Amino acid sequence: ERGTGDVKLLKHKENGKIRLLMRREKTLKVCANHYITSDMVLSPNVGSDRSWVWNVAADLVEDEAERQLLAIRFGNAENATKFKEAFEEARETNKSLASGANPAQEESEDEESEDEDKEDDKEDAEASKDAEESKEEEKKD
């Protein structure tokens, strides 16, 4: 377990590539940092409708590239679905950048992606809060 916290999809200002970044909630230490590549596929985690798993060829945590199987769980199915949509869109964007797509088309997609990233950040913050509340409720039981 790496911890709980906010997940962000960040777009590089110069090359337009999108990466996933996650920081631990209390320490803000990076616990996931990798580009989203065309070979990454989100799969349901043990049949749950609010968690996903995917393979990463090189996750850069503490400046060391390691092959990892990553999992993410959200407070509800709606946020999990929104994450999957944003992840898949980022994968397609990075795939088109790698194949040399039209830059004018990328700029319009960039503006849409930035708006979605802001929405995702808010949703991830809510999902993290929901997860923390669930943990606190479990501790009380």
Side-chain angles (χ1 to χ4, degrees):
E1 183 177 319
R2 290 187 179 189
T4 60
D6 292 339
V7 174
K8 297 179 182 181
L9 297 176
L10 302 174
K11 181 174 220 143
H12 192 279
K13 291 180 181 178
E14 294 175 14
N15 66 20
K17 283 187 170 183
I18 300 171
R19 66 184 170 102
L20 181 139
L21 177 71
M22 180 177 176
R23 292 185 179 272
R24 289 191 180 127
E25 196 167 68
K26 294 178 183 175
T27 63
L28 300 179
K29 185 176 178 182
V30 174
C31 59
N33 182 19
H34 60 82
Y35 281 109
I36 298 175
T37 61
S38 60
D39 62 340
M40 291 181 186
V41 178
L42 288 180
S43 303
N45 187 13
V46 192
S48 173
D49 65 345
R50 61 187 189 115
S51 65
W52 304 103
V53 295
W54 69 98
N55 284 307
V56 179
D59 187 41
L60 301 171
V61 176
E62 298 179 11
D63 296 326
E64 296 178 23
E66 297 180 27
R67 185 163 187 77
Q68 298 282 330
L69 175 65
L70 299 179
I72 189 167
R73 185 179 65 197
F74 293 90
N76 58 50
E78 182 182 344
N79 286 344
T81 302
K82 289 179 181 179
F83 173 78
K84 182 176 182 175
E85 291 168 359
F87 187 96
E88 290 177 346
E89 183 178 322
R91 184 181 65 205
E92 292 303 315
T93 299
N94 286 351
K95 185 177 180 180
S96 67
L97 287 171
S99 66
N102 181 357
Q105 179 184 3
E106 292 171 11
E107 287 179 10
S108 66
E109 290 175 0
D110 291 352
E111 293 170 4
E112 293 172 7
S113 179
E114 287 175 14
D115 292 341
E116 289 174 2
D117 287 349
K118 290 176 185 175
E119 291 175 13
D120 288 343
D121 291 347
K122 289 177 186 176
E123 292 162 6
D124 290 340
E126 292 171 7
S128 295
K129 184 177 178 182
D130 291 344
E132 286 299 315
E133 290 172 359
S134 297
K135 286 181 184 178
E136 289 176 14
E137 290 174 9
E138 291 174 4
K139 288 178 184 177
K140 290 177 185 177
D141 294 338

